[in-house]
Amino acid sequence: ATLRGYSMKGFTEGRMRGRGWVAHALAAVCCACQAMLVSTQNSNNPMMGCCKGRRLLVGVQGVDDLPFFDFLSVEGPLPHSTIVPTRAVNGFVPDMFHDIAAELGLELAYYAFEPSFSEGNRRELLDNHTIDAIVSFGLPSRAYGHGDLGGAYAYTSALYNSPMTGAVKLTVNAVNIWRFIDPFSDELWAGVLILGLFTAFVLLVLQALEKVPAGSSLRAGIYIVCLEVGSFRNIASASYTSLALYLTGDSYEWETGPEKVLRTSWLFFSLITLASYTANLAAFFTLPNLSVSSPPTGMQDLIYTTACTTFPSAQDELSPLKPFVKSFIHPPSDCAPWTTCATDFCYNAVQSGEANVWIDDGFALHGFIQDRQLCTTLMELHTIKFLPFLSTMFLTMRHDEWSFAANISAAIAYEANHPRYLVLMDKWFKVHSQCDIGNENMQINFESMKGLFYVTVCIILLALVCATFSTFRRTATKASP
């Protein structure tokens, strides 16, 4: 048998060869994907096991310094020269070191010294081999000199790097119950009221002119008009008609041509004003009751402010931050950066107005606001940002440990690009959490509309009082002889 000139056998063999090619291609793709998955799962630190069994005794301040250090077993400063095992300390730095030590095979422990322990004394511990490294925060200016950098001490790459940012005072104001009048200014409300009364007056005059009989003298016409315009009942009726028309509740028969012209102009004005009012009303009802202290609003007006910072290196007269602000205040010298006394000092200084802005480690400042739930009292200013020359953390080691420092630097670089690093940043600095100072659901609450309820209830009660007074007056008049 044939199919369009081809034998069935040839046709069948061709189909089988086509299917075989597809099968081979699919198999190749599956093997490639499996190889990539295996290589990803087995992607290890290049320094894996390079320092197995080697001691790494890291000198740290023996005081809680959250989110960087938290000594779990004690409260207050640790006694000087206390050896702290890894299981007794928590925080971003210990978690980071724990991962690096596990990868390199290091025997990690911490050596606590008092916060008042000078930099020279700390380096003595390093020089006499009491400790193997010091956690340093912010590369000191002398390290840029030829005597230190590349000479006396070895430095690892930064295991933590954060820009310097700022935070200012945020105030929650009392709820304004009269928000329904906020879309218009006081002058505009007054203009609308005056124009409405003027429209009522013109309508009243037009009604009075219609009641002047034909052939009346000028004096008689003026008398009739004045009589109609001066009637309280007529004034109330014309004012109601004007207000009802403004609120699209027209209840009057506009019979004459002049009245129709008046109605058209007033309707046109009402259309524009009501559309403008309602377009902005919801935004005012959902507006947060917050006010931001300024200056500063950004880097441009930072020079007019007094700043608070917890970093000792930012407090020196030669600090690189000095040219950007008018003056600095800082915690007492016995308050280490990011200890409770340091953070409380700057927080209270900003809240009391002693300082205009808190300039500090951006990640730590963000985490502090999130942990303390201070979104209604502090606002981060992302328009203020400095290079991370002060909020950089690294290890200082002996000059003869360059090879060891290089291995640790390579391990740090690997960890900084590993998903674990993002997990640590989110755990200790809440980098994925943000303050929601607005109304998330855009709901209009009762508190913001309370004034509208007050006005409506007062008008209803006024109508009830007027009706009661009118009834008493009517019954009293009929009862009199």
Side-chain angles (χ1 to χ4, degrees):
T2 61
L3 180 63
R4 295 183 182 179
Y6 295 94
S7 67
M8 182 62 72
K9 180 179 179 181
F11 178 75
T12 305
E13 290 177 352
R15 292 187 63 186
M16 292 301 292
R17 284 196 298 270
R19 289 180 181 177
W21 178 85
V22 173
H24 285 304
L26 290 176
V29 171
C30 290
C31 290
C33 292
Q34 185 175 5
M36 291 175 61
L37 181 62
V38 170
S39 64
T40 302
Q41 291 176 343
N42 295 333
S43 176
N44 295 321
N45 194 320
M47 296 294 108
M48 174 72 75
C50 70
C51 310
K52 189 173 183 179
R54 183 163 184 175
R55 185 191 77 164
L56 180 61
L57 185 59
V58 181
V60 297
Q61 294 181 132
V63 61
D64 289 343
D65 189 10
L66 282 173
F68 301 103
F69 282 97
D70 180 21
F71 296 96
L72 303 176
S73 58
V74 296
E75 294 183 2
L78 288 172
H80 184 65
S81 72
T82 301
I83 304 296
V84 184
T86 55
R87 63 179 180 274
V89 63
N90 200 5
F92 171 79
V93 176
D95 283 357
M96 185 76 171
F97 279 150
H98 177 78
D99 292 339
I100 293 174
E103 294 283 339
L104 272 61
L106 296 171
E107 295 181 0
L108 178 66
Y110 299 95
Y111 181 98
F113 44 71
E114 297 175 356
S116 58
F117 211 50
S118 68
E119 183 71 18
N121 291 333
R122 298 179 189 185
R123 296 203 171 197
E124 277 187 32
L125 295 176
L126 192 60
D127 294 337
N128 61 25
H129 295 256
T130 302
I131 58 178
D132 302 308
I134 303 172
V135 175
S136 301
F137 225 133
L139 195 61
S141 59
R142 63 178 176 275
Y144 291 102
H146 66 278
D148 272 3
L149 191 58
Y153 294 96
Y155 301 98
T156 66
S157 59
L159 59 95
Y160 173 79
N161 215 8
S162 170
M164 299 286 290
T165 58
V168 294
K169 179 181 178 180
L170 195 63
T171 304
V172 179
N173 303 317
V175 176
N176 181 14
I177 65 174
W178 306 109
R179 277 190 173 178
F180 67 94
I181 66 174
D182 286 345
F184 285 176
S185 65
D186 295 340
E187 295 82 2
L188 184 54
W189 279 117
V192 171
L193 177 61
I194 292 172
L195 185 58
L197 294 176
F198 178 72
T199 303
F201 173 76
V202 173
L203 176 61
L204 192 59
V205 172
L206 294 178
Q207 292 173 344
L209 290 174
E210 287 296 319
K211 294 181 180 181
V212 177
S216 300
S217 64
L218 178 60
R219 184 176 181 180
I222 293 175
Y223 176 76
I224 293 174
V225 170
C226 291
L227 189 65
E228 291 292 325
V229 172
S231 171
F232 177 78
R233 183 184 294 274
N234 292 341
I235 293 174
S237 177
S239 300
Y240 171 75
T241 301
S242 175
L243 179 62
L245 181 61
Y246 183 76
L247 298 176
T248 65
D250 197 357
S251 62
Y252 174 72
E253 291 294 332
W254 305 78
E255 299 177 351
T256 65
E259 288 181 350
K260 291 179 180 179
V261 172
L262 176 66
R263 177 177 183 269
T264 302
S265 64
W266 186 232
L267 277 175
F268 178 74
F269 176 82
S270 303
L271 173 67
I272 300 300
T273 54
L274 285 177
S276 302
Y277 176 77
T278 53
N280 296 312
L281 186 60
F284 278 89
F285 277 135
T286 57
L287 192 67
N289 297 304
L290 301 171
S291 59
V292 181
S293 176
S294 64
T297 58
M299 295 295 292
Q300 68 278 3
D301 54 357
L302 194 61
I303 191 62
Y304 305 110
T305 63
T306 298
C308 184
T309 183
T310 65
F311 281 100
S313 52
Q315 301 160 10
D316 301 332
E317 287 299 321
L318 298 178
S319 167
L321 294 180
K322 188 69 175 177
F324 295 96
V325 297
K326 181 177 68 175
S327 60
F328 270 113
I329 62 172
H330 51 81
S333 58
D334 57 342
C335 289
W338 288 103
T339 56
T340 301
C341 67
T343 54
D344 287 349
F345 178 89
C346 281
Y347 175 78
N348 294 329
V350 170
Q351 295 300 313
S352 65
E354 186 180 358
N356 306 108
V357 60
W358 181 356
I359 297 178
D360 230 307
D361 180 322
F363 289 143
L365 189 56
H366 176 82
F368 176 79
I369 294 174
Q370 296 295 326
D371 280 335
R372 300 283 189 94
Q373 298 180 351
L374 301 176
C375 289
T376 57
T377 56
L378 281 179
M379 187 183 78
E380 296 176 75
L381 279 185
H382 298 291
T383 52
I384 296 177
K385 182 171 289 189
F386 297 91
L387 293 174
F389 45 76
L390 295 174
S391 51
T392 299
M393 184 181 293
F394 55 94
L395 287 181
T396 301
M397 307 178 71
R398 289 184 298 275
H399 67 91
D400 57 347
E401 297 285 4
W402 279 104
S403 178
F404 190 22
N407 290 339
I408 294 178
S409 294
I412 290 173
Y414 173 83
E415 288 295 323
N417 291 280
H418 195 280
R420 285 194 300 262
Y421 189 79
L422 293 179
V423 174
L424 286 181
M425 292 294 290
D426 199 42
K427 175 183 178 181
W428 294 107
F429 302 106
K430 305 293 187 296
V431 293
H432 293 111
S433 300
Q434 298 295 330
C435 288
D436 181 18
I437 60 176
N439 193 338
E440 183 178 358
N441 299 319
M442 296 302 291
Q443 292 180 337
I444 302 175
N445 54 38
F446 174 76
E447 194 70 23
S448 62
M449 294 192 67
K450 191 182 291 184
L452 184 60
F453 282 85
Y454 288 162
V455 171
T456 305
V457 170
C458 288
I459 294 175
I460 294 173
L461 293 178
L462 179 62
L464 180 62
V465 170
C466 291
T468 304
F469 176 76
S470 178
T471 301
F472 275 117
R473 183 180 179 185
R474 185 175 64 254
T475 55
T477 303
K478 290 184 178 180
S480 60

